[in-house]
Amino acid sequence: MLAMNYRGPYRIRADRNMPLPEIVHPQDAIVKVLRSCICGSDLHLYHGLVPDTRVGTIFGHEFIGEVVEVGSAIDNLKVGDRVMVPFNIACGKCAFCQQGLYGNCHESNPEATAVGGIFGYSHTAGGYSGGQAEYVRVPYADVGPVVIPPWMDSDDAVLLTDVVPTGYQAAEMAGIQPGDTVVVFGAGPIGIMAARCAWLFGAGRVIIIDQVEYRLEFAERYAQCEAVNFRSIGDPVVFIKTITDSLGADVCIDAVGCEAAGNAINTVLGRYMMLQGGSTTALHWAINSVKKGGIVSIVGVYGPINSLVPIGNVLNKGITIRANQASVKRLLPRLIEHVQSGIIDPKALITHRVPLEEVADAYHMFSSKLDGCIKTVLLPPSM
Amino acid sequence: MITDQTTSEDFIHDRKHSYAHIKGWGIDADRKNDPTYPIKQRNNAEHRGYSWQRPLPQDKTVEILQSVERPNLTAVFGTSVPPAGISGMVRRVAFKYSESSYGRWLPLMLADRVQVLEGIVKDLSSGHIPNIPKELGLSSEWKYNRKAMLTKAAVGLLVAGAVIFRLCRSGKRP
């Protein structure tokens, strides 16, 4: 089948000779991919920052598709169903899944205990093939996948597998109270969605910070928030203090993760030398910009090794830090309601639709922020 | 630790004892003091004891490297790209260390880079010459960022030319 094939940092091949997936467990399904996306966190793999990203891996944890084969234990899906597949692979039975922590399943990743299984996200996340392919194996298919409602646009559905839940959970974890000032670091798709969702929790003011002008313009329009380029404000922490009566924001959200720009030391240690789990600049700013007793919500992805953060300030300011991979299955019912009622318009994030055959160009375009790229959808040959 | 032999009953805590002898036990307990809400849906498993009926195990048909922080494989796992070659040897060493150790992660980063070279060798040995510019997605750079691409190329050529010129000149000196 045709699939993307990782060959090393910044190198990707559209490969027509990738093996077709097979049912290897009674709870498996094989899904014919209808759409997949390139996620901002895929770029961490693409840039070679995630340990145990093996050459030959198929990326892609945001996808929808049509069920073409089911395992013997699957009784809630049938061949022909169109499903959206949460990016987390969750058994639904372990103690953590039973508590709604579907992003922390204990029965889906033998290679690491800190993270549950994720489609196409290195062997550190279980070694599963991802959805940037024509077909994909979906484990625990009776647990995660949700049949796409007939009224739902496919472009909305594919963004409900990660972007919308992650952005929403970023705002949810922030414990936003009516009237709160919320600062979102990162104007990628997740940050833009977090800014949009902050309003749903009653934020009084939402400010998004990035360095890419076209993304800030998009965020300002889409999320109806203030957009600030950190290259034009001097020290972002001082700027935020200045616009919040010198006390800091009530809530800060890190929607950047390990490839943050803005601090040379962090960039060198985290991105070039890889001696920490990425560049922690956005997290630094979040911790130092939030007010005493405030909340920092982290959805940006970092690597597993030690990272430099101003933990002393976390203590001294009495900050609450909340973080997790989005629990997509838990959130989907509410988010589907929001899409149906028009409160959230996921597909408006999509700027590019690219044939899967041109996946290498699509990654480069997204990585280098060319042509105003915000969100790219990959279309398999049958589409 | 939960092993393949562990039953859910083994994990039920026996907390029949009383805390009456601890003066003030639970007097300030506040159920609202829960920063995990609404992410974690508490079901008292923390106190009752974690237990679950494990899903049927997937057959292990390829080598799976397993975290030393687990007693067993998870019920399902990915089977893409099993460890092989020199990079596989490095990965096996890495997996002898816990997830909190540099001994785990730095060798894995090394193995990732080694495997890039192995991938090129494998491509060439199977008669496939990798189209590196295409794999780098440079046609999108040419399409959307041509001026910068040409500038970078020109600067690169100038630097390379200067270095070669310098080396040639120094080679001619007695």
Side-chain angles (χ1 to χ4, degrees):
Chain A
M1 68 170 178
L2 176 67
M4 71 81 72
N5 180 342
Y6 173 73
R7 305 310 301 169
Y10 296 89
R11 284 181 55 216
I12 276 175
R13 187 181 297 165
D15 193 334
R16 293 193 177 279
N17 299 312
M18 298 299 274
L20 279 164
E22 296 175 356
I23 299 274
V24 294
H25 185 270
Q27 289 175 264
D28 283 354
I30 304 298
V31 166
K32 180 183 179 185
V33 177
L34 300 173
R35 273 169 180 68
S36 62
C37 290
I38 303 175
C39 178
S41 61
D42 285 330
L43 296 182
H44 309 328
L45 300 168
Y46 177 64
H47 296 156
L49 292 173
V50 180
D52 217 358
T53 302
R54 300 183 190 173
V55 170
T57 299
I58 302 172
F59 298 167
H61 55 269
E62 300 179 3
F63 61 92
I64 60 169
E66 180 183 325
V67 176
V68 294
E69 188 179 357
V70 293
S72 58
I74 303 293
D75 53 14
N76 62 338
L77 290 180
K78 61 183 186 304
V79 171
D81 281 345
R82 292 171 71 248
V83 290
M84 49 185 128
V85 182
F87 74 87
N88 351 79
I89 299 170
C91 72
K93 288 183 173 178
C94 73
F96 308 107
C97 285
Q98 286 175 34
Q99 292 181 323
L101 301 170
Y102 295 102
N104 309 102
C105 176
H106 206 62
E107 290 285 7
S108 56
N109 181 10
E111 273 108 342
T113 57
V115 59
I118 299 174
F119 290 98
Y121 210 79
S122 82
H123 278 68
T124 295
Y128 297 92
S129 292
Q132 290 166 12
E134 288 184 277
Y135 296 90
V136 62
R137 170 199 170 208
V138 177
Y140 299 135
D142 52 342
V143 179
V146 171
V147 174
I148 299 170
W151 52 265
M152 184 177 282
D153 190 292
S154 293
D155 287 341
D156 284 331
V158 74
L159 294 179
L160 280 168
T161 62
D162 181 354
V163 175
V164 182
T166 299
Y168 184 89
Q169 188 167 312
E172 184 187 47
M173 289 191 298
I176 298 166
Q177 299 297 307
D180 272 358
T181 295
V182 177
V183 174
V184 180
F185 291 96
I190 299 291
I192 293 169
M193 188 54 67
R196 174 69 190 91
C197 291
W199 297 118
L200 307 186
F201 291 91
R205 188 177 183 189
V206 181
I207 303 156
I208 196 164
I209 294 183
D210 201 292
Q211 64 168 339
V212 182
E213 204 55 47
Y214 79 82
R215 290 191 165 188
L216 287 166
E217 287 168 12
F218 186 98
E220 188 174 29
R221 201 168 55 247
Y222 181 89
Q224 297 165 286
C225 62
E226 298 166 54
V228 176
N229 190 325
F230 70 75
R231 296 288 179 195
S232 65
I233 57 173
D235 187 327
V237 174
V238 174
F239 172 79
I240 292 165
K241 293 280 176 68
T242 305
I243 62 171
T244 54
D245 297 331
S246 80
L247 299 177
D250 299 289
V251 161
C252 287
I253 295 172
D254 173 3
V256 180
C258 66
E259 297 197 57
N263 179 296
I265 293 174
N266 261 322
T267 301
V268 170
L269 286 177
R271 288 169 60 186
Y272 299 144
M273 298 178 72
M274 290 184 272
L275 289 176
Q276 56 174 2
S279 165
T280 55
T281 304
L283 187 51
H284 264 259
W285 289 346
I287 289 169
N288 291 330
S289 303
V290 79
K291 69 171 54 160
K292 293 172 182 173
I295 298 172
V296 171
S297 169
I298 308 171
V299 290
V301 172
Y302 291 92
I305 62 172
N306 310 353
S307 295
L308 293 171
V309 292
I311 198 72
N313 290 354
V314 174
L315 170 75
N316 290 327
K317 294 172 74 173
I319 295 168
T320 300
I321 293 182
R322 301 180 76 186
N324 206 342
Q325 298 281 356
S327 180
V328 178
K329 181 179 169 64
R330 176 179 67 82
L331 293 169
L332 271 181
R334 181 67 172 159
L335 296 175
I336 289 171
E337 283 178 12
H338 284 336
V339 173
Q340 187 168 25
S341 61
I343 289 172
I344 298 176
D345 180 12
K347 63 179 175 294
L349 288 174
I350 296 170
T351 52
H352 291 76
R353 289 176 174 77
V354 179
L356 183 57
E357 292 91 331
E358 297 170 22
V359 63
D361 290 337
Y363 265 88
H364 180 80
M365 184 168 60
F366 188 36
S367 170
S368 299
K369 300 178 178 63
L370 303 177
D371 196 35
C373 186
I374 301 279
K375 191 68 181 172
T376 301
V377 171
L378 296 171
L379 299 169
S382 58
M383 297 306 297
Chain B
M1 253 188 180
I2 302 167
T3 70
D4 292 334
Q5 287 72 44
T6 306
T7 66
S8 52
E9 286 72 24
D10 295 331
F11 267 77
I12 302 300
H13 292 156
D14 180 13
R15 287 185 173 163
K16 291 173 185 166
H17 52 279
S18 167
Y19 298 100
H21 62 290
I22 300 173
K23 191 176 180 181
W25 185 88
I27 196 168
D28 289 332
D30 179 2
R31 284 190 170 276
K32 288 183 181 171
N33 182 7
D34 180 7
T36 69
Y37 176 83
I39 312 301
K40 178 176 176 178
Q41 295 156 4
R42 287 186 180 272
N43 56 9
N44 202 34
E46 294 86 352
H47 310 119
R48 190 182 67 240
Y50 285 113
S51 65
W52 63 87
Q53 187 67 47
R54 298 194 70 203
L56 286 172
Q58 176 180 334
D59 289 337
K60 184 181 167 188
T61 54
V62 297
E63 181 181 1
I64 303 294
L65 298 176
Q66 177 188 321
S67 169
V68 294
E69 297 178 37
R70 290 190 63 93
N72 52 16
L73 288 176
T74 49
V76 305
F77 42 83
T79 53
S80 69
V81 200
I86 297 169
S87 63
M89 291 164 64
V90 178
R91 293 188 205 284
R92 289 183 195 103
V93 171
F95 271 79
K96 291 179 179 172
Y97 295 89
S98 87
E99 294 163 49
S100 68
S101 168
Y102 275 108
R104 164 70 173 269
W105 301 112
L106 295 183
L108 283 177
M109 298 298 276
L110 172 67
D112 291 347
R113 300 299 177 267
V114 169
Q115 201 186 11
V116 173
L117 300 175
E118 291 176 331
I120 291 171
V121 171
K122 193 173 175 185
D123 272 343
L124 295 175
S125 62
S126 60
H128 176 83
I129 299 172
N131 186 340
I132 303 288
K134 189 172 183 183
E135 290 178 356
L136 291 169
L138 291 185
S139 58
S140 62
E141 185 78 12
W142 179 254
K143 188 173 179 184
Y144 298 115
N145 203 22
R146 188 173 303 177
K147 192 176 172 186
M149 188 183 185
L150 290 171
T151 305
K152 279 184 209 167
V155 170
L157 283 172
L158 276 173
V159 170
V163 169
I164 292 167
F165 179 71
R166 179 90 181 166
L167 288 173
C168 290
R169 273 176 65 98
S170 61
K172 285 179 183 172
R173 282 184 192 147

